[in-house]
Amino acid sequence: MSWKSEQSSEDIFKKRLLVTFLLFVFVFATFIGRVIDLSVFNRGKLLAEFAPQVVPSYDILRAERGEILDRSGVKLATNELTFELDINPNIIDSANLSKIRSILKRDLKFSNEELNKLLSAKSYVLVSTSVSKDTKEKIDALNLKDGVVFTKTYKRVYPYGEIISPLIGIVGAEGTGLTGLELSLDDYLKGRNGRSFRTYNFAEPDVLGAPTYVLNPVKGNNITLTIDINIQAKVYELVKKYVEEFHAKNGFAIVTDPESNEVLAMVTYPSFDPTNFNKIMQNLPTTFNYEPGSIMKPIVALAALEEGKLKIDDNFYCSGSIKVKDTVISCWKKHGEEHGLSDILVNSCDVAFAQIALRLQKDSLLKYFKLFGFGDKTQIELYGEERGIVPSPKNIGDVEVANMGFGQGVAVTQIQMVSALNAIVNGGKLYTPRLVKEIKSPDGNVVYSSEPILRRTIGSKTNLGLIKSAMVEVVEIGAPKAKIEGYKVMGKTGTAQKPNPGGGYSHTKLIYSFFGAIPYPDPRVSVIVSINETSIPQYSTTVSAPLFSEIGTFLVKYLRIEK
C-alpha cells in the first residue's frame, strides 16, 4: 500500500468523525433548545395539556354544627348561614375592584391599610370567613366571571346570650367547641366537613377550575338538654338582682328535679356575652370549690342517726363555743339548751354538730362523705368539673373532725351539694346529675336518650323521714324568709366563712347558701343558691333564704305544683 493511499484513508476517517461530532452537537443543541422552548416559552401550553388529569387540591365545605335546644325545643345555640370570601385582585378589573373595596369597607369595617394589603395580592387571598348573605348579594351583583369565590360557612348564634353562656359555652373561629357544653359535646355537635375537588389549569393559574367531585358535608347532631330556658332566665334575673343588691362578688344557682337529678337551670352571675367578650366566665356550679358550712348538717345528722350516734331526742347545750384539744371552736350564737334533732338543725348550732361529728369519729364521717359523693366528680356532662376537697385521713385529727361536722375544712361544688341533699329529700337515692336529655341525628333518629342513673341508696326510710321533717322546721322557724306561701318547704341555710390565705377563717368573706325542696314530703323541685362575698357581712337567712323564696314562688306557679 502506498503512502498516499494510507493518508487518504486517515483523512476519510477524520472527516467521518467530524461529521458524527457535528451531528451529535446538532441533535444535542436541538434537544436543549426544545427543552428551553417548552419549559420557558411554551410552558403553559405544555402543562395545560396535562391539567385535566391533575387534581392537586380541594376546598373544605364546612359542616353545619348541630343545635343545642332546651327541653321544650327552644334553640339555645343555633347557626346563621354566612360565607367565606376569597378574592384574586390580580384578575379583577380596576372598576369592579374599586366597588369591592367600597363594599368591604362599609360592610366588613376594613381599614384602608387592611384593604390596601388585601387588594394588592397577586393570587387568591382569604378576605373573611363570616360574610353575610346581604354582603354576598352585593358582590354577586357585580357579575364577575372570575376572581371571587364564596364558600358556605356558619356563624354560631346564641339567642339567650349571657343568661346561659357559662353553661352552653362558645365555639372558636373554626367552629369547634372551646368551653361549656359546646366543648364537652363537641364530638356530637361538630358534624363532618365535606370537600370540593377542583381541576387546576397550569396555563391559567389565576383561574380556579370547576369542581370535579363534591363530597357533601354532614350536619352535626342536635342535642336537647334538660334545661328549661324559662326557669333559667328567671333564676338568672333573681341571682343577678341579689348579687347587685348586696354588692357581692358573684352568685350561682341550680334548679333540679330531685327525683331524677335532672338539671332544670344552672346559673352563674356575672356572666358574659358569648358574641362579644373580653373574659370568659366559668360555670361556677361545677367548677368552684367552696366550704359549704351549715348546709352540710343534714348529711352529718343522717350519718349519726344511721350509725347510732344520735337519737332524735338527744339534748345538747351550747355555751357559744367548744374546746377540742387546744382549739376553741366558736358557734355563731350562744343557744343554751337544745332539745333534739329539730332544735339543733333549726338553730344551726355548730357546737352541737361538732359534738356529733366527734361521736361519729373520722372513719364514719369520711365514709358518709364518700357515700354522698364528696371528693368525687358527679360525672355531669361537662368538662372541667371539680371534685371538691376531702382531706386525707392522715391529716385529720379531732379538731378537723369537729370542724367538718358543720361543713368547715371540706370543700364541695354546688352540683355535688345539691345532688347529696336531693338524696336526703327524695328518700335516699343518689342520682348522677344530668344535663342532656336526648341526642338526635340530622335526619331525626334518636342517637341517645338519657335515663336516671342511680349511683346508690343511702339511709333508712325512718331516719330520712326524721331529717326531712326537721328541715321543714328549719324553714318554718329558723329561716322564715325562705317560706313559700301555701307550701311546706324542706330547707337548710349555710353561712360559711372562707379560709384566709395565711390560715384561719375570715369573718367578713362569707358564702351564703340555701337549699330548699318543694313540697314536703314528696318534692317536685329543688333549688340551691349561693351568694359569694357581700360587701357587708350578712347571714344566709337574710341573703340566700329570701332569694330561694322568690325563685320557689315562681317555680310553684310555673310548674303548677300542687300544695
Side-chain angles (χ1 to χ4, degrees):
M1 181 181 293
S2 67
W3 177 82
K4 286 186 177 180
S5 64
E6 289 179 3
Q7 187 181 37
S8 178
S9 297
E10 186 178 341
D11 289 342
I12 292 170
F13 173 77
K14 287 181 178 179
K15 289 177 180 178
R16 288 176 179 175
L17 183 63
L18 178 61
V19 170
T20 302
F21 175 73
L22 292 174
L23 182 62
F24 175 79
V25 170
F26 174 77
V27 170
F28 182 76
T30 302
F31 174 75
I32 294 299
R34 184 60 174 159
V35 169
I36 293 172
D37 178 62
L38 290 175
S39 61
V40 177
F41 300 106
N42 290 293
R43 179 175 179 271
K45 181 179 179 181
L46 172 68
L47 295 178
E49 295 175 3
F50 292 95
Q53 303 172 40
V54 180
V55 186
S57 63
Y58 55 83
D59 297 326
I60 296 292
L61 303 179
R62 299 291 178 188
E64 184 177 359
R65 193 170 177 83
E67 295 179 316
I68 301 176
L69 316 169
D70 92 329
R71 65 189 301 115
S72 300
V74 178
K75 294 178 181 180
L76 306 179
T78 185
N79 308 296
E80 177 185 314
L81 177 63
T82 55
F83 299 87
E84 177 182 299
L85 170 60
D86 296 87
I87 66 170
N88 185 348
N90 201 38
I91 58 174
I92 300 174
D93 62 85
S94 59
N96 280 318
L97 204 57
S98 177
K99 292 175 183 177
I100 289 175
R101 182 187 184 97
S102 298
I103 294 169
L104 296 181
K105 186 172 184 177
R106 182 174 59 253
D107 289 15
L108 302 185
K109 311 302 181 186
F110 277 113
S111 66
N112 285 328
E113 184 180 351
E114 290 170 325
L115 287 168
N116 289 339
K117 185 177 179 180
L118 278 173
L119 300 181
S120 62
K122 300 302 181 185
S123 60
Y124 276 93
V125 62
L126 174 65
V127 176
S128 174
T129 59
S130 55
V131 173
S132 70
K133 185 179 178 182
D134 287 345
T135 300
K136 178 182 181 296
E137 288 175 350
K138 291 175 186 176
I139 295 176
D140 284 343
L142 300 177
N143 294 317
L144 298 173
K145 292 182 179 181
D146 292 309
V148 173
V149 176
F150 285 104
T151 307
K152 280 185 181 180
T153 58
Y154 296 92
K155 178 183 177 183
R156 201 62 163 165
V157 178
Y158 302 99
Y160 288 87
E162 65 179 27
I163 289 172
I164 199 168
S165 54
L167 173 60
I168 296 297
I170 59 170
V171 298
E174 295 298 315
T176 55
L178 295 181
T179 65
L181 291 168
E182 292 276 31
L183 172 61
S184 60
L185 301 174
D186 190 58
D187 285 344
Y188 292 99
L189 289 164
K190 66 184 179 182
R192 187 174 69 242
N193 287 336
R195 294 181 180 183
S196 176
F197 295 91
R198 292 180 179 275
T199 58
Y200 186 80
N201 188 339
F202 287 92
E204 299 178 283
D206 291 334
V207 179
L208 292 179
T212 58
Y213 176 72
V214 175
L215 181 64
N216 290 319
V218 178
K219 183 184 176 184
N221 298 297
N222 294 326
I223 298 179
T224 300
L225 304 182
T226 59
I227 295 292
D228 185 314
I229 193 57
N230 294 321
I231 297 176
Q232 178 81 17
K234 186 64 177 181
V235 174
Y236 180 83
E237 172 193 324
L238 292 172
V239 169
K240 177 181 179 181
K241 169 186 168 184
Y242 275 75
V243 168
E244 292 179 349
E245 180 179 332
F246 287 96
H247 304 286
K249 188 174 182 179
N250 52 52
F252 42 109
I254 303 173
V255 179
T256 73
D257 175 351
E259 283 299 322
S260 63
N261 217 15
E262 277 192 351
V263 177
L264 303 178
M266 186 175 279
V267 164
T268 297
Y269 182 81
S271 182
F272 67 97
D273 180 349
T275 60
N276 183 23
F277 56 87
N278 294 319
K279 183 180 179 181
I280 297 172
M281 300 302 297
Q282 290 186 321
N283 187 57
L284 294 180
T286 59
T287 62
F288 181 60
N289 286 321
Y290 65 102
E291 297 193 10
S294 297
I295 203 169
M296 181 68 86
K297 288 171 181 173
I299 306 294
V300 176
L302 180 68
L305 288 170
E306 289 292 309
E307 294 295 309
K309 302 300 183 181
L310 175 67
K311 295 180 181 177
I312 185 67
D313 54 357
D314 278 354
N315 293 321
F316 295 86
Y317 181 80
C318 174
S319 64
S321 64
I322 182 174
K323 188 173 184 180
V324 180
K325 300 293 185 180
D326 295 326
T327 302
V328 175
I329 298 174
S330 298
C331 189
W332 67 278
K333 180 182 178 182
K334 180 180 178 179
H335 294 104
E337 292 185 356
E338 297 174 297
H339 307 288
L341 174 63
S342 291
D343 258 12
I344 60 174
L345 272 177
V346 168
N347 293 337
S348 199
C349 180
D350 294 343
V351 166
F353 276 91
Q355 292 174 335
I356 291 169
L358 289 168
R359 291 182 191 179
L360 272 168
Q361 285 300 298
K362 172 173 62 179
D363 291 343
S364 292
L365 187 60
L366 291 179
K367 179 180 83 171
Y368 279 88
F369 282 172
K370 182 74 173 176
L371 284 172
F372 278 99
F374 301 120
D376 293 320
K377 294 182 180 181
T378 66
Q379 304 303 318
I380 195 170
E381 305 97 325
L382 280 167
Y383 286 156
E385 180 190 5
E386 290 288 338
R387 62 176 68 247
I389 303 170
V390 176
S392 170
K394 66 181 181 182
N395 297 325
I396 298 174
D398 286 350
V399 174
E400 289 75 25
V401 169
N403 283 332
M404 288 192 291
F406 53 88
Q408 205 171 73
V410 58
V412 302
T413 62
Q414 196 179 60
I415 193 63
Q416 286 178 329
M417 200 72 241
V418 74
S419 298
L421 291 170
N422 277 345
I424 295 284
V425 301
N426 72 14
K429 300 183 288 292
L430 182 69
Y431 288 103
T432 298
R434 289 180 296 132
L435 281 163
V436 176
K437 194 171 187 68
E438 190 176 67
I439 302 176
K440 285 186 176 180
S441 65
D443 55 9
N445 292 325
V446 176
V447 175
Y448 169 79
S449 182
S450 68
E451 296 290 340
I453 303 171
L454 179 63
R455 296 174 66 185
R456 64 186 68 92
T457 302
I458 310 164
S460 67
K461 183 177 180 180
T462 298
N463 288 333
L464 288 163
L466 293 173
I467 301 292
K468 289 166 67 173
S469 178
M471 289 174 72
V472 173
E473 293 192 39
V474 167
V475 175
E476 294 295 321
I477 302 170
K481 289 187 177 181
K483 288 182 180 181
I484 298 171
E485 186 177 353
Y487 291 84
K488 279 191 174 183
V489 177
M490 295 169 277
K492 185 67 192 83
T493 56
T495 305
Q497 295 173 288
K498 298 179 74 172
N500 287 319
Y505 286 85
S506 172
H507 294 289
T508 57
K509 294 182 177 180
L510 310 170
I511 295 182
Y512 312 90
S513 298
F514 191 91
F515 168 85
I518 318 161
Y520 171 81
D522 300 310
R524 278 194 55 199
V525 68
S526 66
V527 180
I528 188 168
V529 295
S530 300
I531 301 295
N532 182 19
E533 284 189 37
T534 56
S535 59
I536 299 173
Q538 307 282 335
Y539 286 105
S540 58
T541 50
T542 58
V543 180
S544 53
L547 171 55
F548 163 80
S549 178
E550 288 198 52
I551 293 172
T553 299
F554 165 77
L555 289 172
V556 295
K557 296 175 182 176
Y558 179 75
L559 297 174
R560 296 181 175 85
I561 295 175
E562 294 182 2
K563 297 181 180 180

